[in-house]
Amino acid sequence: MMAEYAAPRGTRDILPAETQKWQYVESVFRDMCALYGFEEIRTPTFEHTELFVRNLGETTDVVSKEMYNFETKGGRKLTLRPEGTAPTVRAYVTHNLGAVLPVNKVYYIARIFRFERPQAGRYREHTQLGVEVFGSIDPALDAEVISFAAGFFREVGIDQFELKLNTIGCPKCRPEHRKALLDFVESRLGDLCETCRDRYERNPLRMLDCKEERCQAALTDAPVMIDYVCEECRDHFAKVRAYLTEMAIPFVLDNKLVRGFDYYTKTAFEFVSGELGAQNAIGGGGRYDNLVEEIGGAPTPAIGFGLGLDRLLLTLDAMQVQLPLQPRNAVFVAGLGEAGHEAAVKTVCGLRKNGVAADMDYTGRSLKAQMKVANKLGARFVVIIGDDEIAGDTVTLRDMSSSEQKSLPTSELVEYIKSR
RNA sequence: GCGGGAGUAGCUCAGUUGGUUAGAGCGCCAGGUUGUGGCCCUGGAGGUCGUGGGUUCAAAUCCCAUUUCUCGCCCCA
């Protein structure tokens, strides 16, 4: 039983029984994107390492310890994409999409790679569905992206989730908050965990959402961004909240919410599901108004959202949501004996040529065994062809749900099935 | 990187204080219908008990190592 090879740690095979669900969710996502005006973009699976190192932030967990890096023979450093936004921005800049349209709205379905210890809902290779909007700082767009996300979750069957919302300011107002935070923490540095003492030096904002109890206790009254944001950010955030309220999208303000990458500005949000164990974040996103410029494009405000498809499906499973998967609705052709088999090959070929999904047996089984296979495949009709049928140039057609059976001329088969 | 749990048939698992040919349910195959699915009945195939070593007359069972999976911490989707 122990096969010689297994899928590498943190990866897994998605078998046909599961891919149906994946395709369904992806199609809901694509439909939703069409409704909101997002068009698909596909970027390479790997990018230059520098793209991620410089733009996600060197101190982030992803960059400092979770990237799949490799070198080409020529010594170029490449990395399997650990997130979807930076590559999308890179493509936007590479092709100067800002010159084509004032506002560009794109979506992607991409495999993401992070070298972490796998556990429930966390894989080294996972799939993210995401959208990005370039070219406007209108808070209505923040609300649109968030409502897109919330709408998508509901559409696919998840109505139990919490939307956490925060603003993390901009380069104008962040330094002031940072200074206040450092001042506040300085005297309590001893109470913090080792990681946070390190963060104090390298990435103070991240101390705020540390999960360590001692840190949470020590930082209860720490200065939060919302009290330090500049007028523009405060105004922007107020409008986002107003839009969401108007759209009847419930949210919870979380002034300790900090996103994992350095490029975020202003609006930050996260969707949390209680159905998953430790990995409860099913999606998240935020604004990144300076990233396009940092990557080399013209100053262009932008906002995006990404969700983990693997986790979404786990959540749907945990919630026992029944997805409306389409039955196969195909025709199975059962041939009896050698002549019947030959006739079946011809019949299947003819059905397919006319756009009717059809399949047959290739293992020389008895009619009974072929019927069982047809049943298991969920065939709607079974066409039976034996010596009797061949002699009269007819086929026997069995409706698998009603068990009704009738004989009809071979020449009428395709038309009859198409009319059903 | 750190900590817990588990590896017995395709799947989910049982296996009593170590003791003959290692079991069940589901699935699979065949028969019960000389050409007919779902339900039912009967039979069958399928396992070097993760791997290596040790203890013992005897190991799926005890000990050690190793490996894989899994859950959690950190962090994220």
Side-chain angles (χ1 to χ4, degrees):
Chain A
M1 65 142 292
M2 199 49 192
E4 194 172 353
Y5 300 108
R9 183 191 293 266
T11 69
R12 67 243 165 86
D13 304 308
I14 314 295
L15 304 177
E18 285 295 303
T19 49
Q20 282 187 49
K21 297 181 189 170
W22 285 64
Q23 287 174 5
Y24 170 74
V25 173
E26 285 170 11
S27 74
V28 169
F29 182 74
R30 287 182 198 276
D31 290 349
M32 194 97 178
C33 282
L35 193 64
Y36 276 72
F38 294 100
E39 295 187 293
E40 185 174 12
I41 186 168
R42 302 191 188 193
T43 67
T45 301
F46 50 86
E47 296 273 353
H48 291 293
T49 300
E50 273 301 292
L51 175 69
F52 301 116
V53 172
R54 282 220 298 264
N55 297 293
L56 309 195
E58 292 200 50
T59 59
T60 61
D61 281 42
V62 166
V63 169
S64 62
K65 56 185 190 190
E66 296 172 3
M67 297 207 300
Y68 274 93
N69 300 319
F70 61 100
E71 261 183 46
T72 64
K73 288 178 184 174
R76 284 180 194 276
K77 294 185 159 117
L78 302 173
T79 297
L80 298 184
R81 63 174 165 231
E83 60 104 44
T85 299
T88 304
V89 173
R90 201 267 312 137
Y92 174 89
V93 170
T94 298
H95 302 282
N96 197 18
L97 295 183
V100 179
L101 279 173
V103 171
N104 279 271
K105 303 169 78 169
V106 297
Y107 79 87
Y108 59 81
I109 296 178
R111 301 280 194 154
I112 301 293
F113 304 85
R114 291 183 198 169
F115 192 85
E116 305 175 82
R117 283 295 292 270
Q119 64 188 69
R122 194 175 72 190
Y123 308 97
R124 288 183 173 180
E125 177 183 22
H126 71 276
T127 299
Q128 284 190 23
L129 313 185
V131 301
E132 315 283 355
V133 185
F134 300 96
S136 170
I137 197 157
D138 188 343
L141 218 40
D142 302 43
E144 179 179 301
V145 168
I146 291 170
S147 83
F148 168 89
F152 171 72
F153 286 131
R154 281 197 209 96
E155 183 68 25
V156 89
I158 295 179
D159 38 22
Q160 302 287 317
F161 59 78
E162 186 175 283
L163 167 59
K164 298 204 284 193
L165 191 66
N166 192 24
T167 180
I168 54 175
C170 68
K172 266 182 286 177
C173 44
R174 235 180 262 165
E176 202 182 325
H177 170 250
R178 182 190 155 99
K179 187 176 179 304
L181 181 60
L182 292 178
D183 285 350
F184 175 87
V185 172
E186 193 175 15
S187 59
R188 303 155 216 253
L189 212 45
D191 299 335
L192 299 182
C193 72
E194 206 178 311
T195 315
C196 280
R197 286 202 286 270
D198 187 49
R199 285 175 178 143
Y200 178 82
E201 303 289 341
R202 310 179 64 177
N203 198 352
L205 205 53
R206 295 209 57 82
M207 292 187 296
L208 289 178
D209 71 343
C210 180
K211 305 295 187 297
E212 289 278 335
E213 225 172 277
R214 50 198 284 206
C215 298
Q216 282 301 309
L219 297 172
T220 308
D221 300 317
V224 291
M225 195 64 224
I226 189 71
D227 296 326
Y228 289 81
V229 289
C230 60
E231 206 175 321
E232 185 195 320
C233 287
R234 183 190 308 275
D235 200 40
H236 185 93
F237 193 48
K239 282 182 178 151
V240 171
R241 282 176 294 167
Y243 278 123
L244 288 177
T245 304
E246 198 179 299
M247 293 170 164
I249 295 172
F251 58 87
V252 178
L253 290 179
D254 180 351
N255 57 27
K256 300 245 166 79
L257 174 69
V258 178
R259 300 282 302 158
F261 304 126
D262 290 355
Y263 55 63
Y264 284 111
T265 57
K266 290 193 170 67
T267 314
F269 59 94
E270 207 165 277
F271 288 86
V272 179
S273 160
E275 297 293 338
L276 264 32
Q279 318 309 323
N280 61 1
I282 52 176
R287 239 178 207 291
Y288 47 94
D289 291 332
N290 304 303
L291 186 58
V292 174
E293 189 175 6
E294 277 158 21
I295 285 183
T300 308
I303 180 167
F305 159 74
L307 71 98
L309 181 49
D310 309 63
R311 281 186 192 174
L312 178 66
L313 288 163
L314 284 175
T315 306
L316 288 170
D317 255 12
M319 293 176 69
Q320 298 185 310
V321 173
Q322 293 296 314
L323 300 179
L325 302 179
Q326 295 295 316
R328 276 196 251 193
N329 199 26
V331 174
F332 190 91
V333 181
L336 286 155
E338 216 169 293
H341 184 259
E342 295 310 317
V345 171
K346 266 185 226 159
T347 305
V348 163
C349 194
L351 286 166
R352 289 175 182 158
K353 222 173 255 173
N354 284 280
V356 177
D359 210 345
M360 60 176 286
D361 172 63
Y362 297 99
T363 59
R365 285 163 194 246
S366 66
L367 177 59
K368 177 181 174 136
Q370 293 190 56
M371 293 298 292
K372 287 183 79 157
V373 172
N375 184 55
K376 207 185 306 174
L377 290 177
R380 191 161 158 230
F381 292 106
V382 171
V383 174
I384 299 166
I385 307 174
D387 292 341
D388 296 349
E389 285 80 1
I390 291 170
D393 199 18
T394 62
V395 296
T396 298
L397 185 68
R398 184 181 180 84
D399 182 319
M400 291 298 272
S401 51
S402 68
S403 294
E404 278 165 19
Q405 208 161 293
K406 66 194 296 182
S407 172
L408 70 168
T410 306
S411 58
E412 290 173 20
L413 176 64
V414 169
E415 202 167 323
Y416 181 84
I417 287 178
K418 289 187 84 166
S419 72
R420 286 315 179 94

